[in-house]
Amino acid sequence: MNQRSSNLLDEALGLDQASEPWPLKGRVVAIEDRVETSGSFILHHLLKRSLSRNSSNVSIFIAFAQPFSHYDRVLRKQGWNLVSQRDNGRFFFFDMLKLQCPVGDEGITPGGGLIALYGKIHKTISALPEISQKNVSIIIDDLSLMEVAANGSSDHVLDFLHYCRTLTSEFDCSLITLNHEDIYSTEDGSTFLLQMAYLADILIKVEPLATGLAADVHGQLTVSNKGRNKASNFHFKVKENMVECFYPGRSRD
């Protein structure tokens, strides 16, 4: 019997709890991928789930890696229209590629732009009507590019993330980040990854198979959920409009 769609991923993240409108509220989710196994499909999945049609959830997306058109195109393949979600006030897109909130401009400290970005996020959340009845997700699509924008200062990025962490308690927000584990070779880089693992309530590692590339398996996921005090490990295959997760050895299409 096949494990269909992303059921295993949802179960590992706690998204299978039907009684909860957004089980990730108040939690930090850190995704770590590799150059050869992108974890962007998890961002797409969580963005889609956070904008469930039967909820009042709101997502604030901080984009360093791709423009709005990219995410709109990906989500349309999965039956979601980000333009309508944006127009309805449920999706806010901060396009850092266009420097709406510049980071590291001349005349400010390298972390000054990140402080301004945090202020813009806080202002957006505070302006939401009936905020106590909404579940807000803050999603950052590439921490490594945020570090580049902060003139290479991982300390400024960590400070920014700790600021955002306060929003999980102040507004019960969720914070979801994506980073690339194998681009760090220095001791400072290893320290950054350790700090992220400490900060996260849920750590998702996206890795290639130990046996190498395979046509029907694109990689493996390890989900460490501190709230459930357990880790889950399974394989995945990314398809055009979905991701299929399954235990090793199970049959697939």
Side-chain angles (χ1 to χ4, degrees):
M1 180 178 179
N2 290 350
Q3 289 284 355
R4 286 301 179 192
S5 185
S6 49
N7 290 342
L8 288 177
L9 178 58
D10 285 349
E11 290 171 10
L13 294 173
L15 295 178
D16 56 334
Q17 302 174 28
S19 60
E20 288 282 347
W22 184 234
L24 297 181
K25 66 180 181 180
R27 313 196 75 190
V28 176
V29 180
I31 306 163
E32 291 181 0
D33 68 4
R34 303 284 187 90
V35 170
E36 65 269 41
T37 48
S38 171
S40 59
F41 69 90
I42 300 179
L43 279 188
H44 305 153
H45 178 70
L46 292 179
L47 176 58
K48 177 181 175 180
R49 289 300 305 267
S50 71
L51 294 174
S52 170
R53 293 186 178 93
N54 298 321
S55 74
S56 59
N57 297 349
V58 173
S59 289
I60 299 174
F61 201 99
I62 317 298
F64 285 88
Q66 298 287 351
F68 176 85
S69 59
H70 168 80
Y71 294 105
D72 185 45
R73 183 169 60 252
V74 171
L75 269 292
R76 280 180 186 271
K77 291 181 180 179
Q78 301 182 25
W80 243 246
N81 188 329
L82 289 184
V83 173
S84 64
Q85 298 290 342
R86 182 182 60 187
D87 293 344
N88 291 335
R90 296 190 60 203
F91 182 66
F92 297 85
F93 192 85
F94 293 178
D95 191 346
M96 305 308 295
L97 296 171
K98 294 182 178 179
L99 296 181
Q100 288 180 340
C101 187
V103 179
D105 275 1
E106 292 182 2
I108 60 174
T109 63
L114 292 182
I115 293 173
L117 176 59
Y118 169 78
K120 189 172 182 179
I121 294 170
H122 192 284
K123 183 178 180 180
T124 299
I125 297 173
S126 299
L128 291 172
E130 301 178 331
I131 179 59
S132 62
Q133 300 178 30
K134 298 183 185 299
N135 299 303
V136 180
S137 297
I138 303 166
I139 304 175
I140 305 173
D141 71 351
D142 197 322
L143 289 183
S144 65
L145 290 179
M146 175 181 276
E147 185 177 335
V148 171
N151 294 341
S153 174
S154 59
D155 287 340
H156 286 310
V157 174
L158 282 172
D159 287 344
F160 171 81
L161 294 173
H162 279 288
Y163 279 127
C164 289
R165 185 72 166 90
T166 65
L167 298 177
T168 64
S169 56
E170 182 179 354
F171 297 108
D172 222 11
C173 298
S174 59
L175 174 62
I176 301 167
T177 66
L178 173 63
N179 201 17
H180 312 301
E181 181 181 8
D182 54 351
I183 66 171
Y184 297 99
S185 58
T186 65
E187 183 176 338
D188 288 344
S190 299
T191 300
F192 182 80
L193 292 173
L194 288 173
Q195 288 285 337
M196 284 304 303
Y198 175 77
L199 189 67
D201 298 296
I202 300 175
L203 178 63
I204 306 172
K205 286 184 174 287
V206 187
E207 300 171 304
L209 295 175
T211 54
L213 296 176
D216 57 347
V217 183
H218 290 162
Q220 60 184 344
L221 290 175
T222 302
V223 182
S224 302
N225 192 329
K226 294 178 183 177
R228 296 188 169 190
N229 196 29
K230 64 179 292 188
S232 304
N233 183 270
F234 39 86
H235 290 171
F236 69 89
K237 181 177 182 179
V238 179
K239 299 184 177 181
E240 184 176 9
N241 61 351
M242 60 173 283
V243 58
E244 184 180 359
C245 298
F246 43 87
Y247 290 118
R250 291 294 182 94
S251 60
R252 285 88 61 193
D253 286 340

